[in-house]
Amino acid sequence: MKACKSDSEMKLKGIAVSSGIIIGKAYLVDRSKVKITYQYLVSQEQVSKEVKRLEDAIRTTREQLITIKNHMPENIKTHSFIIESHLMILKDSMFADASIQRILNESINSEWAVQKSLEEIREIFKQIDDEYIRNRIEDVENVAERVLRNLSGEDQKDLAGIDQRVIVVAHDLAPADTTELNLEKVIGFITDGGGRTSHTGIMAQALKLPAVVALETATDLIKNGDILIVDGNTGEVIINPLEGTIAGYKKRQIQQEKFKSSIARTSHLPAETLDGYRIAIKANIEFLEEVESAREYGGEAIGLYRTEVLYIKSKTLPTEEELFEDYRQVAEIIAPDPVTIRTLDTGGDKIAAVAMETDDEMNPALGLRAIRFCLKEPEIFKTQLRSILRASAYGKVQIMFPMISGLQEVLDARAILEQARQELDTRQIAYDHDIKVGIMIEIPSAVSMAEVLARHVDFFSIGTNDLIQYALAIDRINEHVAHIYEPFHPAISRMIQQVVAAARKAGINVSICGEMAGDPLCIPILLGLGLDELSMNARSIPFIKKIIREISMKDARLDFENILKLSTAKEIRGYIINRMKALIPELEGKGYLYS
Ligand code: PEP
Ligand code: MG
């Protein structure tokens, strides 16, 4: 992140993850976990003071919870029982009294006492047979965290309760936090953390919220109520802009809106190059509610349905019926075109889904993610597979397995799919017996094994978000390395080239569903590489189709040959920008062609 100050305004530069310019007031929230916690002994004279400190924090917590409950919007009032249960936990003797007793008996500080009580309660919950009740430990942790924050004197803000038009400024937002945002009020957000392809950014696109991440110090520099300009195309954030700056951005906002609506008018046209090559353009979605707008933006099908949200939203695992209902509707709305439903990709930065009891991991991106989790939890996996299969009777559905690293995982996943099919056969439930099964290619080992893998699946979809992460060893959500997360690294084009060649040899379809597919600058390379289809966030579709319509495949292939002769990402980016300026001059000055 770069920061610079001119007169009274200050500019920050982060990474743009969801397009659009917004101007509004800052609203600071801190969603980072409480980082404490010092553990220390207190002297006998200090013990009573320490007890009072904890009592004060518990009182403040109670007052905050009551305020939240009283201010719940009408439409979610039915959920106020959650707050009630938090108030009860706060009163519970195992929590409050036990913590106070610990301070008195062991002469330890309040934070330590709360942590010890929490630890004891965790142990008790672990032994409970009933899964639903066992999972309620999450509520206790939530309450303990609030008390710990109050002990540390940190301010707390509630995302769902935001009642003014604001731009949220946070150290970090988990994808789950974004689902809590009050979308009628929040006009966008910025964070210190995150990277180009973090799932929080992907959720921002799905929610149509302009967003910039990886600003590193935004929460240190911005105060509540500061006026902000956020440019979700360039990654610029301006704090307390001068009047002239605001006027300039408002003008740019209008120009962009005009440009977008002129492109939108042609979004139904096919993505056909000047020399007649047609590329299928599909949409990535995270929620059922996005299917309609995917169509409006010109999406020809759903190329990637990320299925994590239903698992984040509920605190218990979704049932086969709930999943089926959701998938059936997606399949019906998009029919006769297909939807590719990706099986659960839990872990990494996505979800520590409450109901899944995954432990904290040192390296979650290298941990129990996606297909690894599903193969370890075959019942959870099979429930999802049965729902997907059942939905296939109502439209055209394809199944896709994420994070495949080699053939054994494909064979194991297919074996569980076979069991799911047999279970449905026994129950005499209909499904598409010819359902296509594909895999994501997003781990370098899968690239090396692409020729072998291609013989066992019906299609490949290249997940460049993770492929870049794992190939370049750059954590996709770490703001400190976000500037070197580079789709133009020559190794990435070579890897995609290898995967396309393997798919061609086996005669299977190959697409890209990572963020590269929706990045205008990547289009000449992806055309030159010969992909069959591109799947992207729906808002990018009209623009990407327009770019494809203005390029010929002949030029793209020649450009790709030239690009293969270049050895650094910087050279490749420079080459592409120059070519784009030459091929589509009207793009200049619109904020798309920057390095
Ligand atoms: C990818 O990795 O490119 C991808 C599309 O999957 P996700 O972003 O959900 O990890
Ligand atoms: Mg991925």
Side-chain angles (χ1 to χ4, degrees), residues 210-260:
V212 172
V213 302
L215 287 154
E216 296 190 50
T217 52
T219 52
D220 297 330
L221 300 170
I222 297 171
K223 296 185 299 305
N224 258 322
D226 276 350
I227 299 294
L228 301 179
I229 298 178
V230 174
D231 188 336
N233 302 315
T234 61
E236 276 161 354
V237 172
I238 301 168
I239 309 169
N240 292 325
L242 299 170
E243 269 179 31
T245 312
I246 296 185
Y249 268 91
K250 282 194 171 157
K251 208 166 138 199
R252 215 192 276 182
Q253 214 176 19
I254 295 169
Q255 276 173 349
Q256 276 187 6
E257 286 312 316
K258 266 198 197 153
F259 184 59
K260 268 195 212 154

Side-chain angles (χ1 to χ4, degrees), residues 26-30 167-171 189-192 218-219 222 228:
Y27 183 96
L28 267 93
V29 294
D30 190 340
I167 298 173
V168 166
V169 181
H171 177 65
F189 67 79
I190 60 176
T191 61
D192 294 336
T219 52
I222 297 171
L228 301 179

Side-chain angles (χ1 to χ4, degrees), residues 197 199 202 284 304 306 308 342 345 350 369 440 442 462-467 476 513-515:
T197 62
H199 285 92
I202 290 170
N284 294 350
L304 167 65
R306 291 186 171 95
E308 289 76 45
R342 181 180 72 184
D345 189 357
K350 286 183 196 150
R369 238 192 102 175
M440 293 200 56
E442 48 186 350
I462 306 174
T464 48
N465 303 341
D466 277 315
L467 187 59
R476 64 193 264 196
C513 63
E515 293 300 293

Side-chain angles (χ1 to χ4, degrees), residues 3 34 57 61 74 131 171 173-175 177 219 234 254 313 325 357 415 420 432 455 475 478 571:
V34 189
T61 305
E74 278 309 314
E131 192 185 330
H171 177 65
L173 286 178
D177 291 330
T219 52
T234 61
I254 295 169
K313 275 193 168 169
E325 218 10 71
E357 294 184 356
D432 174 6
R455 294 199 288 271
D475 182 348
N478 180 339
E571 287 169 319

